[in-house]
Amino acid sequence: MSRIVQHDDFALSRVTPQARKPWFGIAVQRFGQVSALSQFLLGATLGYSMTFGEAVLAFLFGSIILEVIMCLVGFIGQREGLNTALLARWTGFGEIGASLVGLAIGISLIGWFGIQSAISAQSLDALMPGALPVWVWSLLFGLAVTGIVAFGFLGMQWLANITVPLFLILVGWSVISELSRHDIGELLTGPAPGPAMSVWTGTGIVAGGLIVGAIITGDMTRFNRSRADVVKQTVVGVTLGEFVIGLAGVLLAHAAGSGDIVAIVTSSVGLVGLIIVITGTLKINDWNLYSSTLGLVNFISTAFGRHLNRVTTTIVLGIVGSILAAAGILGQFTQFLTVLSVAFPPIAGIMVAEYFIVRRWRGELDASREKGLLPATAPRIVPATIVVWLISSLVGYFVTWGIPSLLSLFLSMVLYVIAGKLGLVRGVGSAATRQPETGDAEPTQR
């Protein structure tokens, strides 16, 4: 295997058996992704409007939904050893559809990368007021994450091994410091301090809060060695992340009678609270940049026939995102990014329906996987998929009852299966696949 391809983190090729990782290390990364600051905020939101028991049910049901989606999508990524944007070519989207998937992932996650960098910059400014302007902190934080992600999965594993234990220690410290002033029994059994929220609504918030991460889970599970490893790292990472961090947020919200967790943490434990904000943001932001890079590399490869180097693309995207964050521009695009996120659930629905049920291109994936290569050709465009994707995304955007993200996901699965049964799922045009220059092909893990 070529060292260049391995350092490129298999952006345009299959992950080989030799590059697969033990499940526990990946579980640490998954936990770091789930146990970010946003999960703390989510817990506070639920705790402000729900009793502790109701919040537990919301986290339980939401976690089950997420874990089922992550496992299904993760199984595909693990078996094929392909990232989400690349895999989409043979799971219903064709080259043009896959390029749109890659572009959507690239734009959405680099936007969130910049926004998270700006949030951390404000925390750093509060930590060391006047030391540097906020825009400089924003730039430095973004560039630091960029440097780590440039090393690929290995660098991100190193970051997780440091930040995840630190984050847990600091969260534990802040929770104990705040809760020591209150009666734990009253917090566990008392009413919600704010306006009531139903368990069903809370479940929707929990599931929707991590739905984009669930859709791109193949970017992570392609490094797993077996389906069992996918299940283990998903259950351990997501369950601990949701319950440990989320329920800590619930208790803090009950103790302080507020849903503003950042204000609670920073006011109760000061310096430690600010470090919590920074470490919690750091671990999610590396995956924002990583998956954004994979999406853009695949978009450029499909749309323009040019194979970008992942490391170089990471550095360029990281610098651009950091500069935009420093300029305060990305804060204006939060609503746009939220709207864009409705396009993600149907991607998972279509991929799962194609791979496990319709199986129009499954045979080509199976045959090429034996040789450690990509399928020789890919459909240029699959019109039925584009229609299903569009309809399901619009339903997810305009329908507000239930859990819109899950509604659009299941709708896309149903519509795609129906289209497959009617013979409408077929490619228009065909394009030869450029195989990565890896020397002698090696069979991938089945």
Side-chain angles (χ1 to χ4, degrees), residues 70-95:
M70 285 181 174
C71 284
L72 288 174
V73 177
F75 289 159
I76 304 174
Q78 179 275 323
R79 182 176 175 83
E80 300 299 337
L82 298 172
N83 64 66
T84 304
L86 181 58
L87 183 60
R89 298 184 192 181
W90 299 281
T91 49
F93 287 88
E95 278 207 327

Side-chain angles (χ1 to χ4, degrees), residues 185-203:
E186 291 183 3
L187 297 180
L188 295 176
T189 59
M197 177 190 297
S198 70
V199 172
W200 180 244
T201 301
T203 299

Side-chain angles (χ1 to χ4, degrees), residues 138-163:
S138 185
L139 190 62
L140 291 176
F141 183 88
L143 293 177
V145 175
T146 301
I148 293 169
V149 177
F151 285 96
F153 203 85
L154 181 62
M156 294 161 65
Q157 187 67 64
W158 173 82
L159 177 64
N161 291 341
I162 294 175
T163 58

Side-chain angles (χ1 to χ4, degrees), residues 359-379:
R359 300 167 66 96
R360 175 66 178 78
W361 291 277
R362 177 67 179 271
E364 297 175 34
L365 283 169
D366 289 344
S368 62
R369 186 177 63 252
E370 296 292 337
K371 302 174 183 178
L373 301 173
L374 300 176
T377 62

